[in-house]
Amino acid sequence: MTPTPRPLEGKTVIDFTQIGAGPTCTMILADLGARVVKIEPPGGDIGRTLGPGWIDGVAALFHGFNRNKQGLTLDLKSEVGQEVALRLIADADVVVESMRPGVMDRLGLGETTCKAAQPDLVYCSVSAYGQTGPYSRRAGVDGIMQADSGLMSLIGFPETGPAKVQTPIVDVFTGYVAACGVLASLMIRQGDERPQLDISLFRSAIALQQAAITSYLVDGEEPRKQGSAAPYSAPNEAFPTADGWIMVAAYNGGRWERLCDVLGCPELAAAPGLATSGERVANRQRMVAVLTEYFLRRTNAEWFELLSEADILCAPVSTYGDLLRHPQVVQADLLAQVPRSNGDTIMTPGPAIKFHGTEQPRMTAAPPRSGDPREVLRQFGFSDEEIDAAIASRCFGGVQ
């Protein structure tokens, strides 16, 4: 295989983000070859404390969002800390920040100030509700966004209360949206105006529900919880088997008829009220009750083989333990071994962006909390005397 192209090689990103969304954005940029310097407050990124799952006292979540970055602890409330930050920004291509709107301005690091130091800078702000509007100054995290955007109302079964997607889906999706915005901004010709990117968790959570919200705007019908089912097609849901659950999508292209053949009930394909996907959606409860009787007769593995041979879309409902044994995961480098400075490695999901026919890009572990101010600052042209003076000011959280 050829080496992975690094399209952002030579670009520098200064990362003032914490927890999930912003760090996801800057991790993607790092995976694509950018030099990312993660700036943490003296107390550290809050994500370091969000367990369970710990590696030497640091939350696995932090490691999962911060590979391939350099680190620097910097007190942005101090005058020297702000001066150091502006020096870094003056030699950077991108700033990504996830403060509440107005905070970076109060710290002397708002868009206007930063672009005075570096006119071609891409300045990306990631916040809960965006830079404008009545909620712009409100804080928010993934679960709050799942609730406020309506997403939480779709999750679970009709008889259950509110439920949330357990992985921080809004955070991660927002990070990808922000990375897409940064890449688009970098394509604007040098010297042309690059407007501030206003990326919000709330806007991203709404965009994540494109199909459901559009349907509501068309017919005014509030969506109902469907468990594992898709509200717009059937069968497109999970069925219990003799030893687990299997997800089946057999609603078009002749797959409904083939499913009935494989199950051993060919007469069901043309039964009144079940012949079309729309009819099956309207009569889903009846359809599920009949199909479940057949699915319970075999195991997941048996059904997977039979359905796959008939070109019926299906997959077992996997646990994470199952996922690690998945043939595609094992053979296609979907997990990354990230080396640590002590010689150990951390396993994480690899980059989602892959260039065909290339190796997995090289990885480095998330930076230690204090970072190495001397190493980082020398890369930005600071003299040893300037570094000593900055360290003496304690703007690096007491690092000596």
Side-chain angles (χ1 to χ4, degrees), residues 117-248:
Q118 213 292 56
D120 289 319
L121 188 72
V122 173
Y123 194 97
C124 177
S125 296
V126 180
S127 62
Y129 288 94
Q131 300 298 304
T132 59
Y135 274 40
S136 62
R137 299 303 171 103
R138 291 177 67 95
V141 292
D142 182 273
I144 300 300
M145 294 301 118
Q146 289 195 37
D148 210 10
S149 69
L151 178 60
M152 195 175 286
S153 72
L154 304 181
I155 302 168
F157 293 86
E159 64 274 13
T160 66
K164 71 186 292 288
V165 180
Q166 291 302 300
T167 189
I169 188 171
V170 175
D171 274 352
V172 172
F173 181 67
T174 303
Y176 275 85
V177 171
C180 183
V182 169
L183 294 173
S185 295
L186 287 171
M187 294 180 68
I188 297 174
R189 292 180 305 175
Q190 190 171 14
D192 289 349
E193 182 180 358
R194 288 172 167 160
Q196 179 181 4
L197 284 164
D198 179 5
I199 308 297
S200 77
L201 297 174
F202 192 57
R203 182 183 292 270
S204 298
I206 291 172
L208 190 61
Q209 301 169 78
Q210 195 79 22
I213 292 175
T214 301
S215 293
Y216 176 76
L217 292 172
V218 169
D219 61 24
E221 292 284 336
E222 288 281 0
R224 295 179 294 110
K225 294 178 181 180
Q226 300 277 358
S228 65
Y232 44 79
S233 59
N236 192 0
E237 49 226 294
F239 293 93
T241 68
D243 65 348
W245 290 79
I246 190 163
M247 182 72 185
V248 176

Side-chain angles (χ1 to χ4, degrees), residues 20 46 56-57 67 76 86 93 139 150 158 172 197 199 209 222 229 236 288 316 324 339 343 386 397:
I46 298 168
D56 296 336
R67 64 170 175 255
L76 297 177
L86 274 176
D93 302 280
V172 172
L197 284 164
I199 308 297
Q209 301 169 78
E222 288 281 0
N236 192 0
V288 168
L324 296 185
E386 289 173 321

Side-chain angles (χ1 to χ4, degrees), residues 14 16 39 72 74-76 78-92 95 104-105 107-118 121 123 377 380 382:
I14 309 300
F16 298 97
I39 307 297
L72 185 67
L74 192 59
D75 183 1
L76 297 177
S78 73
E79 183 177 347
V80 176
Q82 293 169 11
E83 291 172 354
V84 169
L86 274 176
R87 283 273 303 266
L88 302 183
I89 291 166
D91 198 29
V95 162
M104 289 294 276
D105 285 317
L107 294 172
L109 298 170
E111 182 201 17
T112 301
T113 304
C114 290
K115 286 196 172 181
Q118 213 292 56
L121 188 72
Y123 194 97
L377 267 57
F380 287 83
F382 283 71

